[in-house]
Amino acid sequence: MVLLAAPSHGLMDVGRVSVGPNDPNIRYTGRWDASETDTYRGYWSGTSLTTAFTGTSVRLKLGYTAPPAGSDLFVSIDRGPYNLYKNASGTVNLTSSPLAEGEHTLTLVTRNIRDVAVFKGLLLDKDAYTVAPPERGRLIEFIGDSITVGYKTPNVSIESYAWLTGERLNADHTQIAYTGMCLTDGVSCNGLPPSGMSEQYFRLQPLDYADSPPWKVDAARQPDAVVINLGTNDERAQVAGSTFQSAYAGFLKRLRSIYPQTELIVIRPLNGYMDKETQEAALLRQKAGDQRVHLISTESWLAPDTGDYTDALHPSVQGNVKMADKLVPELQRILGW
């Protein structure tokens, strides 16, 4: 369901309990800027927050974003369908019909690469309060380009194979991915600024923010697994294979330096793009003694003549489901889940 996020004002909010973004019962997943105590900002597609609350109603308190950022946000209550709130800002009523008395859960998700969750908190019923949401205890990070974003599916982030895979594994998950992006730094892929994922990954914000501060890795939750799916745009931008392979091996080495115990899982790109170079980069790290680097083949996962693609590159809704069908057992095998 698509909803226009019409702000509410005045007496409708009087007497409600105000919950700030620093409430300890709100769990954040993905790249969030918490430098302002009254406003948290979540960047990158598929970034989310989850909490639980009592009472029969809930409202979002949202700030405003400036171009090129947007605020198309999905919200699910009690693990129900995700409703899309377009151009969301101000105070947004999430419960036009009262909920049943008792405890409820809420999940908010950014829809696409330029959507920013400018989260200022919640408004609850008088005498209501937040509750710690159920803990999943596992975290998977997906790194990629438009294929990992879910580009060209109607609902983007929540229809991507990355989102579907994380949900099926009952893990917290985040997508550090950007449409059109290369792995290799210093190359302008698809007209984007010449910053590759091998460098932008270590920034708080995506490519739209030229002066993005570094991502504070030391303060962040360490992922159990990082799944990397890159190379399609590098080959289409005619990046030399040797350059790509070297950049990939260096990226894996740098990831290992910040995530000593994380399983690093390299997906061979669809359609064979940079296939040999991807394999060689993973093999180089394994030969260097890194036994937590793994390689997954995508050969025959999708077929172009069966509706698995929206075009020659991007998986359809059906194709993303098939990718999750293939990826979930591979991750279960590697991770022992």
Side-chain angles (χ1 to χ4, degrees):
M1 180 184 297
V2 179
L3 302 171
L4 294 179
S8 64
H9 300 286
L11 295 177
M12 294 176 64
D13 300 332
V14 173
R16 296 185 180 277
V17 173
S18 181
V19 176
N22 58 351
D23 186 288
N25 290 325
I26 301 174
R27 184 174 70 235
Y28 296 91
T29 304
R31 300 284 169 92
W32 286 87
D33 179 2
S35 59
E36 299 178 31
T37 57
D38 65 343
T39 306
Y40 286 12
R41 290 173 170 82
Y43 299 95
W44 303 82
S45 173
T47 288
S48 65
L49 67 83
T50 302
T51 190
F53 62 95
T54 63
T56 63
S57 71
V58 59
R59 288 166 163 78
L60 283 175
K61 295 189 297 178
L62 300 173
Y64 296 83
T65 59
S71 290
D72 283 0
L73 307 174
F74 288 112
V75 177
S76 169
I77 294 178
D78 293 334
R79 300 185 66 82
Y82 280 92
N83 291 324
L84 175 60
Y85 293 83
K86 291 189 68 64
N87 302 313
S89 61
T91 302
V92 181
N93 185 6
L94 303 178
T95 47
S96 55
S97 298
L99 303 170
E101 292 283 355
E103 187 175 308
H104 304 278
T105 61
L106 180 152
T107 299
L108 176 149
V109 187
T110 55
R111 177 178 180 268
N112 211 334
I113 56 174
R114 291 194 173 104
D115 292 318
V116 179
V118 186
F119 182 64
K120 300 178 79 69
L122 304 170
L123 289 172
L124 305 178
D125 291 346
K126 182 181 179 182
D127 299 325
Y129 50 89
T130 61
V131 181
E135 286 284 349
R136 284 174 159 176
R138 297 168 172 169
L139 174 62
I140 305 178
E141 196 160 75
F142 294 87
I143 306 176
D145 49 36
S146 58
I147 294 169
T148 300
V149 167
Y151 179 62
K152 290 202 172 184
T153 64
N155 291 315
V156 197
S157 62
I158 63 172
E159 286 181 326
S160 71
Y161 77 88
W163 181 275
L164 299 175
T165 297
E167 289 296 292
R168 291 192 198 179
L169 291 172
N170 193 32
D172 292 329
H173 48 89
T174 186
Q175 294 150 239
I176 308 302
Y178 198 92
T179 299
M181 199 165 188
C182 284
L183 165 76
T184 311
D185 194 48
V187 179
S188 179
C189 291
N190 298 297
L192 296 173
S195 179
M197 188 61 80
S198 57
E199 290 297 327
Q200 198 70 33
Y201 174 84
F202 302 96
R203 299 287 175 177
L204 168 67
Q205 299 157 314
L207 277 178
D208 306 288
Y209 301 86
D211 298 322
S212 172
W215 172 237
K216 296 179 180 178
V217 174
D218 293 343
R221 179 181 172 191
Q222 300 289 288
D224 298 282
V226 171
V227 180
I228 311 158
N229 185 2
L230 287 162
T232 298
N233 291 314
D234 295 80
E235 179 153 325
R236 290 172 63 83
Q238 300 182 337
V239 174
S242 59
T243 301
F244 174 82
Q245 180 178 313
S246 176
Y248 210 144
F251 185 44
L252 292 172
K253 183 178 181 180
R254 193 171 175 187
L255 287 174
R256 173 59 64 224
S257 71
I258 62 172
Y259 301 140
Q261 301 302 316
T262 296
E263 304 296 334
L264 304 181
I265 299 160
V266 175
I267 294 181
R268 289 162 59 183
L270 297 172
N271 298 315
Y273 287 113
M274 289 294 186
D275 184 67
K276 177 178 178 294
E277 292 81 2
T278 298
Q279 293 182 71
E280 287 298 322
L283 184 60
L284 280 172
R285 293 303 305 149
Q286 291 172 347
K287 287 181 176 178
D290 193 337
Q291 298 307 304
R292 292 182 182 271
V293 171
H294 313 271
L295 187 66
I296 293 177
S297 172
T298 60
E299 187 175 1
S300 302
W301 277 18
L302 304 183
D305 56 352
T306 60
D308 290 346
Y309 289 92
T310 62
D311 52 23
L313 293 174
H314 301 97
S316 61
V317 172
Q318 169 184 297
N320 276 281
V321 170
K322 285 188 176 181
M323 286 189 71
D325 289 342
K326 298 290 187 180
L327 184 56
V328 166
E330 291 284 351
L331 294 182
Q332 289 174 322
R333 173 182 60 82
I334 292 169
L335 301 172
W337 294 358

PDB file of all heavy atoms in Angstrom, residues 228 230-231 244-245 248 252 266-269 273-283 295-296:
ATOM      1  N   ILE A 228      29.499 -10.025  -0.616  1.00  0.00           N
ATOM      2  CA  ILE A 228      29.918  -9.018  -1.595  1.00  0.00           C
ATOM      3  C   ILE A 228      29.546  -9.470  -2.998  1.00  0.00           C
ATOM      4  O   ILE A 228      29.890 -10.585  -3.417  1.00  0.00           O
ATOM      5  CB  ILE A 228      31.440  -8.779  -1.519  1.00  0.00           C
ATOM      6  CG1 ILE A 228      31.866  -8.544  -0.076  1.00  0.00           C
ATOM      7  CG2 ILE A 228      31.844  -7.606  -2.405  1.00  0.00           C
ATOM      8  CD1 ILE A 228      33.324  -8.816   0.173  1.00  0.00           C
ATOM      9  N   LEU A 230      29.942  -7.647  -6.524  1.00  0.00           N
ATOM     10  CA  LEU A 230      30.403  -6.499  -7.314  1.00  0.00           C
ATOM     11  C   LEU A 230      31.180  -6.979  -8.541  1.00  0.00           C
ATOM     12  O   LEU A 230      31.724  -8.079  -8.547  1.00  0.00           O
ATOM     13  CB  LEU A 230      31.303  -5.596  -6.461  1.00  0.00           C
ATOM     14  CG  LEU A 230      30.609  -4.756  -5.383  1.00  0.00           C
ATOM     15  CD1 LEU A 230      31.616  -4.260  -4.357  1.00  0.00           C
ATOM     16  CD2 LEU A 230      29.881  -3.566  -6.018  1.00  0.00           C
ATOM     17  N   GLY A 231      31.216  -6.139  -9.551  1.00  0.00           N
ATOM     18  CA  GLY A 231      31.989  -6.449 -10.746  1.00  0.00           C
ATOM     19  C   GLY A 231      31.264  -6.172 -12.048  1.00  0.00           C
ATOM     20  O   GLY A 231      31.889  -5.921 -13.083  1.00  0.00           O
ATOM     21  N   PHE A 244      40.880  -4.492 -11.637  1.00  0.00           N
ATOM     22  CA  PHE A 244      39.740  -4.917 -10.821  1.00  0.00           C
ATOM     23  C   PHE A 244      40.161  -5.983  -9.814  1.00  0.00           C
ATOM     24  O   PHE A 244      39.804  -5.914  -8.632  1.00  0.00           O
ATOM     25  CB  PHE A 244      38.632  -5.459 -11.726  1.00  0.00           C
ATOM     26  CG  PHE A 244      37.482  -6.063 -10.971  1.00  0.00           C
ATOM     27  CD1 PHE A 244      36.479  -5.262 -10.445  1.00  0.00           C
ATOM     28  CD2 PHE A 244      37.395  -7.440 -10.790  1.00  0.00           C
ATOM     29  CE1 PHE A 244      35.415  -5.820  -9.744  1.00  0.00           C
ATOM     30  CE2 PHE A 244      36.337  -8.007 -10.102  1.00  0.00           C
ATOM     31  CZ  PHE A 244      35.344  -7.190  -9.572  1.00  0.00           C
ATOM     32  N   GLN A 245      40.908  -6.964 -10.276  1.00  0.00           N
ATOM     33  CA  GLN A 245      41.333  -8.055  -9.388  1.00  0.00           C
ATOM     34  C   GLN A 245      42.158  -7.525  -8.225  1.00  0.00           C
ATOM     35  O   GLN A 245      41.961  -7.918  -7.071  1.00  0.00           O
ATOM     36  CB  GLN A 245      42.143  -9.064 -10.181  1.00  0.00           C
ATOM     37  CG  GLN A 245      42.638 -10.253  -9.352  1.00  0.00           C
ATOM     38  CD  GLN A 245      43.399 -11.240 -10.206  1.00  0.00           C
ATOM     39  OE1 GLN A 245      42.943 -11.606 -11.297  1.00  0.00           O
ATOM     40  NE2 GLN A 245      44.561 -11.665  -9.732  1.00  0.00           N
ATOM     41  N   TYR A 248      39.906  -5.658  -5.800  1.00  0.00           N
ATOM     42  CA  TYR A 248      39.056  -6.584  -5.038  1.00  0.00           C
ATOM     43  C   TYR A 248      39.853  -7.251  -3.917  1.00  0.00           C
ATOM     44  O   TYR A 248      39.413  -7.326  -2.764  1.00  0.00           O
ATOM     45  CB  TYR A 248      38.474  -7.641  -5.976  1.00  0.00           C
ATOM     46  CG  TYR A 248      37.121  -8.173  -5.554  1.00  0.00           C
ATOM     47  CD1 TYR A 248      36.163  -8.502  -6.522  1.00  0.00           C
ATOM     48  CD2 TYR A 248      36.770  -8.344  -4.215  1.00  0.00           C
ATOM     49  CE1 TYR A 248      34.908  -8.971  -6.170  1.00  0.00           C
ATOM     50  CE2 TYR A 248      35.524  -8.826  -3.860  1.00  0.00           C
ATOM     51  CZ  TYR A 248      34.594  -9.135  -4.834  1.00  0.00           C
ATOM     52  OH  TYR A 248      33.358  -9.610  -4.483  1.00  0.00           O
ATOM     53  N   LEU A 252      39.134  -6.872   0.108  1.00  0.00           N
ATOM     54  CA  LEU A 252      38.970  -7.991   1.040  1.00  0.00           C
ATOM     55  C   LEU A 252      39.976  -7.904   2.192  1.00  0.00           C
ATOM     56  O   LEU A 252      39.629  -8.170   3.355  1.00  0.00           O
ATOM     57  CB  LEU A 252      39.137  -9.318   0.301  1.00  0.00           C
ATOM     58  CG  LEU A 252      38.040  -9.675  -0.702  1.00  0.00           C
ATOM     59  CD1 LEU A 252      38.429 -10.921  -1.491  1.00  0.00           C
ATOM     60  CD2 LEU A 252      36.700  -9.885  -0.009  1.00  0.00           C
ATOM     61  N   VAL A 266      32.256 -13.973  -1.072  1.00  0.00           N
ATOM     62  CA  VAL A 266      32.339 -13.349  -2.390  1.00  0.00           C
ATOM     63  C   VAL A 266      31.393 -14.079  -3.339  1.00  0.00           C
ATOM     64  O   VAL A 266      31.501 -15.290  -3.530  1.00  0.00           O
ATOM     65  CB  VAL A 266      33.779 -13.405  -2.932  1.00  0.00           C
ATOM     66  CG1 VAL A 266      33.839 -12.871  -4.365  1.00  0.00           C
ATOM     67  CG2 VAL A 266      34.723 -12.631  -2.016  1.00  0.00           C
ATOM     68  N   ILE A 267      30.447 -13.336  -3.917  1.00  0.00           N
ATOM     69  CA  ILE A 267      29.535 -13.891  -4.920  1.00  0.00           C
ATOM     70  C   ILE A 267      30.089 -13.601  -6.308  1.00  0.00           C
ATOM     71  O   ILE A 267      30.407 -12.451  -6.623  1.00  0.00           O
ATOM     72  CB  ILE A 267      28.130 -13.284  -4.783  1.00  0.00           C
ATOM     73  CG1 ILE A 267      27.483 -13.707  -3.464  1.00  0.00           C
ATOM     74  CG2 ILE A 267      27.246 -13.682  -5.946  1.00  0.00           C
ATOM     75  CD1 ILE A 267      26.085 -13.169  -3.288  1.00  0.00           C
ATOM     76  N   ARG A 268      30.200 -14.623  -7.129  1.00  0.00           N
ATOM     77  CA  ARG A 268      30.582 -14.392  -8.520  1.00  0.00           C
ATOM     78  C   ARG A 268      29.422 -13.701  -9.231  1.00  0.00           C
ATOM     79  O   ARG A 268      28.271 -14.159  -9.146  1.00  0.00           O
ATOM     80  CB  ARG A 268      30.921 -15.722  -9.190  1.00  0.00           C
ATOM     81  CG  ARG A 268      32.227 -16.315  -8.677  1.00  0.00           C
ATOM     82  CD  ARG A 268      32.374 -17.794  -8.979  1.00  0.00           C
ATOM     83  NE  ARG A 268      32.323 -18.083 -10.409  1.00  0.00           N
ATOM     84  CZ  ARG A 268      32.379 -19.336 -10.903  1.00  0.00           C
ATOM     85  NH1 ARG A 268      32.466 -20.372 -10.079  1.00  0.00           N
ATOM     86  NH2 ARG A 268      32.336 -19.533 -12.200  1.00  0.00           N
ATOM     87  N   PRO A 269      29.666 -12.567  -9.893  1.00  0.00           N
ATOM     88  CA  PRO A 269      28.570 -11.788 -10.475  1.00  0.00           C
ATOM     89  C   PRO A 269      27.738 -12.571 -11.487  1.00  0.00           C
ATOM     90  O   PRO A 269      28.222 -13.503 -12.133  1.00  0.00           O
ATOM     91  CB  PRO A 269      29.289 -10.615 -11.142  1.00  0.00           C
ATOM     92  CG  PRO A 269      30.582 -10.498 -10.397  1.00  0.00           C
ATOM     93  CD  PRO A 269      30.961 -11.907 -10.060  1.00  0.00           C
ATOM     94  N   TYR A 273      30.187 -11.596 -15.433  1.00  0.00           N
ATOM     95  CA  TYR A 273      30.989 -10.377 -15.415  1.00  0.00           C
ATOM     96  C   TYR A 273      32.143 -10.505 -14.414  1.00  0.00           C
ATOM     97  O   TYR A 273      31.946 -10.886 -13.265  1.00  0.00           O
ATOM     98  CB  TYR A 273      30.127  -9.167 -15.043  1.00  0.00           C
ATOM     99  CG  TYR A 273      29.188  -8.735 -16.132  1.00  0.00           C
ATOM    100  CD1 TYR A 273      27.811  -8.865 -15.989  1.00  0.00           C
ATOM    101  CD2 TYR A 273      29.678  -8.181 -17.318  1.00  0.00           C
ATOM    102  CE1 TYR A 273      26.944  -8.453 -16.990  1.00  0.00           C
ATOM    103  CE2 TYR A 273      28.821  -7.774 -18.328  1.00  0.00           C
ATOM    104  CZ  TYR A 273      27.444  -7.912 -18.153  1.00  0.00           C
ATOM    105  OH  TYR A 273      26.599  -7.514 -19.158  1.00  0.00           O
ATOM    106  N   MET A 274      33.342 -10.180 -14.844  1.00  0.00           N
ATOM    107  CA  MET A 274      34.554 -10.227 -14.019  1.00  0.00           C
ATOM    108  C   MET A 274      34.641 -11.545 -13.227  1.00  0.00           C
ATOM    109  O   MET A 274      35.129 -11.578 -12.094  1.00  0.00           O
ATOM    110  CB  MET A 274      34.593  -9.040 -13.054  1.00  0.00           C
ATOM    111  CG  MET A 274      34.863  -7.698 -13.722  1.00  0.00           C
ATOM    112  SD  MET A 274      36.541  -7.623 -14.434  1.00  0.00           S
ATOM    113  CE  MET A 274      36.615  -5.892 -14.964  1.00  0.00           C
ATOM    114  N   ASP A 275      34.203 -12.603 -13.856  1.00  0.00           N
ATOM    115  CA  ASP A 275      34.124 -13.887 -13.147  1.00  0.00           C
ATOM    116  C   ASP A 275      35.502 -14.400 -12.744  1.00  0.00           C
ATOM    117  O   ASP A 275      35.741 -14.733 -11.579  1.00  0.00           O
ATOM    118  CB  ASP A 275      33.414 -14.918 -14.023  1.00  0.00           C
ATOM    119  CG  ASP A 275      33.214 -16.236 -13.309  1.00  0.00           C
ATOM    120  OD1 ASP A 275      32.432 -16.263 -12.343  1.00  0.00           O
ATOM    121  OD2 ASP A 275      33.840 -17.241 -13.701  1.00  0.00           O
ATOM    122  N   LYS A 276      36.414 -14.487 -13.700  1.00  0.00           N
ATOM    123  CA  LYS A 276      37.755 -15.006 -13.413  1.00  0.00           C
ATOM    124  C   LYS A 276      38.469 -14.118 -12.402  1.00  0.00           C
ATOM    125  O   LYS A 276      39.105 -14.609 -11.461  1.00  0.00           O
ATOM    126  CB  LYS A 276      38.562 -15.079 -14.710  1.00  0.00           C
ATOM    127  CG  LYS A 276      40.006 -15.535 -14.534  1.00  0.00           C
ATOM    128  CD  LYS A 276      40.689 -15.627 -15.887  1.00  0.00           C
ATOM    129  CE  LYS A 276      42.159 -16.032 -15.738  1.00  0.00           C
ATOM    130  NZ  LYS A 276      42.947 -14.982 -15.053  1.00  0.00           N
ATOM    131  N   GLU A 277      38.357 -12.815 -12.570  1.00  0.00           N
ATOM    132  CA  GLU A 277      39.046 -11.876 -11.689  1.00  0.00           C
ATOM    133  C   GLU A 277      38.489 -11.935 -10.260  1.00  0.00           C
ATOM    134  O   GLU A 277      39.237 -11.808  -9.279  1.00  0.00           O
ATOM    135  CB  GLU A 277      38.911 -10.454 -12.242  1.00  0.00           C
ATOM    136  CG  GLU A 277      39.655 -10.227 -13.552  1.00  0.00           C
ATOM    137  CD  GLU A 277      38.901 -10.714 -14.779  1.00  0.00           C
ATOM    138  OE1 GLU A 277      37.761 -11.199 -14.634  1.00  0.00           O
ATOM    139  OE2 GLU A 277      39.455 -10.595 -15.896  1.00  0.00           O
ATOM    140  N   THR A 278      37.178 -12.118 -10.142  1.00  0.00           N
ATOM    141  CA  THR A 278      36.563 -12.259  -8.824  1.00  0.00           C
ATOM    142  C   THR A 278      37.079 -13.502  -8.112  1.00  0.00           C
ATOM    143  O   THR A 278      37.446 -13.461  -6.930  1.00  0.00           O
ATOM    144  CB  THR A 278      35.028 -12.328  -8.966  1.00  0.00           C
ATOM    145  OG1 THR A 278      34.554 -11.114  -9.545  1.00  0.00           O
ATOM    146  CG2 THR A 278      34.360 -12.532  -7.615  1.00  0.00           C
ATOM    147  N   GLN A 279      37.120 -14.604  -8.834  1.00  0.00           N
ATOM    148  CA  GLN A 279      37.638 -15.840  -8.252  1.00  0.00           C
ATOM    149  C   GLN A 279      39.095 -15.692  -7.826  1.00  0.00           C
ATOM    150  O   GLN A 279      39.487 -16.140  -6.749  1.00  0.00           O
ATOM    151  CB  GLN A 279      37.499 -16.982  -9.260  1.00  0.00           C
ATOM    152  CG  GLN A 279      36.074 -17.371  -9.574  1.00  0.00           C
ATOM    153  CD  GLN A 279      36.016 -18.541 -10.540  1.00  0.00           C
ATOM    154  OE1 GLN A 279      36.343 -19.669 -10.188  1.00  0.00           O
ATOM    155  NE2 GLN A 279      35.605 -18.267 -11.769  1.00  0.00           N
ATOM    156  N   GLU A 280      39.894 -15.075  -8.683  1.00  0.00           N
ATOM    157  CA  GLU A 280      41.318 -14.929  -8.383  1.00  0.00           C
ATOM    158  C   GLU A 280      41.547 -14.041  -7.163  1.00  0.00           C
ATOM    159  O   GLU A 280      42.447 -14.296  -6.348  1.00  0.00           O
ATOM    160  CB  GLU A 280      42.052 -14.361  -9.594  1.00  0.00           C
ATOM    161  CG  GLU A 280      42.219 -15.345 -10.737  1.00  0.00           C
ATOM    162  CD  GLU A 280      43.052 -16.558 -10.349  1.00  0.00           C
ATOM    163  OE1 GLU A 280      44.036 -16.396  -9.600  1.00  0.00           O
ATOM    164  OE2 GLU A 280      42.700 -17.671 -10.777  1.00  0.00           O
ATOM    165  N   ALA A 281      40.731 -12.994  -7.010  1.00  0.00           N
ATOM    166  CA  ALA A 281      40.874 -12.121  -5.846  1.00  0.00           C
ATOM    167  C   ALA A 281      40.606 -12.886  -4.560  1.00  0.00           C
ATOM    168  O   ALA A 281      41.338 -12.752  -3.567  1.00  0.00           O
ATOM    169  CB  ALA A 281      39.927 -10.928  -5.970  1.00  0.00           C
ATOM    170  N   ALA A 282      39.543 -13.698  -4.565  1.00  0.00           N
ATOM    171  CA  ALA A 282      39.231 -14.507  -3.382  1.00  0.00           C
ATOM    172  C   ALA A 282      40.329 -15.531  -3.122  1.00  0.00           C
ATOM    173  O   ALA A 282      40.736 -15.760  -1.967  1.00  0.00           O
ATOM    174  CB  ALA A 282      37.885 -15.198  -3.563  1.00  0.00           C
ATOM    175  N   LEU A 283      40.822 -16.138  -4.179  1.00  0.00           N
ATOM    176  CA  LEU A 283      41.877 -17.141  -4.044  1.00  0.00           C
ATOM    177  C   LEU A 283      43.158 -16.533  -3.480  1.00  0.00           C
ATOM    178  O   LEU A 283      43.848 -17.153  -2.649  1.00  0.00           O
ATOM    179  CB  LEU A 283      42.150 -17.801  -5.397  1.00  0.00           C
ATOM    180  CG  LEU A 283      43.161 -18.952  -5.406  1.00  0.00           C
ATOM    181  CD1 LEU A 283      42.691 -20.085  -4.506  1.00  0.00           C
ATOM    182  CD2 LEU A 283      43.369 -19.462  -6.839  1.00  0.00           C
ATOM    183  N   LEU A 295      33.795 -18.343  -1.544  1.00  0.00           N
ATOM    184  CA  LEU A 295      33.386 -17.994  -2.900  1.00  0.00           C
ATOM    185  C   LEU A 295      32.121 -18.773  -3.258  1.00  0.00           C
ATOM    186  O   LEU A 295      32.045 -19.989  -3.035  1.00  0.00           O
ATOM    187  CB  LEU A 295      34.506 -18.341  -3.885  1.00  0.00           C
ATOM    188  CG  LEU A 295      34.326 -17.893  -5.338  1.00  0.00           C
ATOM    189  CD1 LEU A 295      34.351 -16.372  -5.437  1.00  0.00           C
ATOM    190  CD2 LEU A 295      35.425 -18.505  -6.205  1.00  0.00           C
ATOM    191  N   ILE A 296      31.127 -18.063  -3.799  1.00  0.00           N
ATOM    192  CA  ILE A 296      29.874 -18.689  -4.211  1.00  0.00           C
ATOM    193  C   ILE A 296      29.656 -18.424  -5.702  1.00  0.00           C
ATOM    194  O   ILE A 296      29.703 -17.283  -6.151  1.00  0.00           O
ATOM    195  CB  ILE A 296      28.681 -18.146  -3.404  1.00  0.00           C
ATOM    196  CG1 ILE A 296      28.791 -18.567  -1.935  1.00  0.00           C
ATOM    197  CG2 ILE A 296      27.359 -18.626  -3.982  1.00  0.00           C
ATOM    198  CD1 ILE A 296      27.681 -18.008  -1.059  1.00  0.00           C
TER     199      ILE A 296
END
